[in-house]
């Protein structure tokens, strides 16, 4: 169990969110105190966001992915724009997984929360199908992302499950992401499952604290989660799973900059 003084993590859910339990469990394994809160509760009490050290948007199919994946949830969160921006400004790490990534992009918190407008998108996979698989990913060494600290240059597997995971950006926007170290996670060579520009599996904001990715780190927090775990070596089984390492990096970033109670 996390200690009483561990970073306090807020997981925001809505109708259709279905990965909040796994993400809360993963963040608790990583050392945070995770609390799942419905978006309407926060709309009614927006100042409560000021009390959290870390914010996460879990995966799922928010509002049935009507119109486009994450679009309706992003519109709901517009009512919380100011407290969310305050959280980012005071240094709270923010994570969006799969549908949560789609929401962050369509809300305008990624790739640049200062601009506050949608400048990229996540849309239908080029294959036209929902993809549920484990894929190889790589964390570039030049990224500023706090969630991938300690993973730079590593190649590892994470599970994906999405039908609208193709990251699309104009050539100049993509070049800026690369130049500013915001290209936080890539699909390994030949394993891009959705046609994402630049093979991007995840991007962060210029501070490195706001991170969205299509793979699910919360689904790889124990070595038995990997489909090939029975063939892993003893050393691989004893090592901390890659998804948990990613979540721990974010929790440690939150702990390094404690947030005063609001």
């Amino acid at each position: 169990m996390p200690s009483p003084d561990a970073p306090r993590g807020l997981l925001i859910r809505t109708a259709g969110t279905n990965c909040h339990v796994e993400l809360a469990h993963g963040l608790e394994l990583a050392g945070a105190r995770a609390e799942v809160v419905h978006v309407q509760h926060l709309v009614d009490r927006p100042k409560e966001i000021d009390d959290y050290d870390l914010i996460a948007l879990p995966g799922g199919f928010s509002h049935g992915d009507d119109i486009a994946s994450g679009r309706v949830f992003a519109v709901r969160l517009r009512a919380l724009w100011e407290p969310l921006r305050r959280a980012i400004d005071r240094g709270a790490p923010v994570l969006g997984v799969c549908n949560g990534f789609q929401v962050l992009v369509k809300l305008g918190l990624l790739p640049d929360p200062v601009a506050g407008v949608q400048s990229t998108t996540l849309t239908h996979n080029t294959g036209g199908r929902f993809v549920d698989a484990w894929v190889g990913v790589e964390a570039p060494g030049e990224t500023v992302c706090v969630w991938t600290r300690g993973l730079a240059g590593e190649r590892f597997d994470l599970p994906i499950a999405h039908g609208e995971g193709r990251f699309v950006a104009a050539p100049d926007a993509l070049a800026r992401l690369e130049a500013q170290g915001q290209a936080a996670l890539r699909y390994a060579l030949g394993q891009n499952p959705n046609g994402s520009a630049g093979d991007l599996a995840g991007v962060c904001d210029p501070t490195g604290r706001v991170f969205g990715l299509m793979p699910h780190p919360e689904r790889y927090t124990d070595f038995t989660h990997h489909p090939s775990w029975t063939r892993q070596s003893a050393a691989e089984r004893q090592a901390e799973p890659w998804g948990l390492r990613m979540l721990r990096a974010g929790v440690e970033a939150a702990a390094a900059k404690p947030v005063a109670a609001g």
Side-chain angles (χ1 to χ4, degrees), residues 107-122:
L107 180 58
L109 288 180
L110 280 177
D112 184 3
V114 174
V117 296
Q118 184 178 350
S119 59
T120 62
T121 197
L122 287 149

Side-chain angles (χ1 to χ4, degrees), residues 8-71:
R8 191 178 177 198
L10 168 65
L11 285 79
I12 307 176
R13 66 171 297 272
T14 190
T17 301
N18 63 18
C19 298
H20 50 287
V21 174
E22 295 95 327
L23 185 54
H25 177 64
L27 288 170
E28 288 186 345
L29 288 176
R33 293 175 293 151
E35 302 173 32
V36 179
V37 181
H38 194 279
V39 64
Q40 187 59 52
H41 177 92
L42 296 170
V43 170
D44 294 338
R45 305 166 184 82
K47 282 190 65 63
E48 289 190 8
I49 294 176
D50 296 339
D51 298 332
Y52 290 93
D53 307 296
L54 178 153
I55 298 171
L57 297 177
F61 304 93
S62 60
H63 298 277
D65 282 344
D66 290 346
I67 306 174
S69 292
R71 174 66 68 189

Side-chain angles (χ1 to χ4, degrees), residues 194-216:
N194 48 43
S196 286
D199 294 324
L200 288 178
V203 301
C204 65
D205 76 326
T207 72
R209 302 184 77 86
V210 183
F211 178 42
L213 73 165
M214 289 311 298
H216 288 263

Side-chain angles (χ1 to χ4, degrees), residues 5 26 40 52 63 77 90 107 123-124 128 132 134 143 151 167 172 177 183 189-190 209 211 224 230:
D5 59 347
Q40 187 59 52
Y52 290 93
H63 298 277
L77 288 173
R90 60 184 161 81
L107 180 58
T123 187
H124 296 281
D132 182 0
W134 283 71
T143 180
L151 304 179
F167 183 77
D172 59 335
L177 292 177
L189 183 64
R209 302 184 77 86
F211 178 42
T224 59
T230 57

Side-chain angles (χ1 to χ4, degrees), residues 77-102:
L77 288 173
R78 271 285 162 186
L80 298 172
W81 177 261
E82 290 303 323
L84 289 173
R85 276 302 314 273
R86 284 200 304 271
I88 293 169
D89 290 344
R90 60 184 161 81
V94 177
L95 177 68
V97 179
C98 197
N99 193 237
F101 183 17
Q102 295 161 339

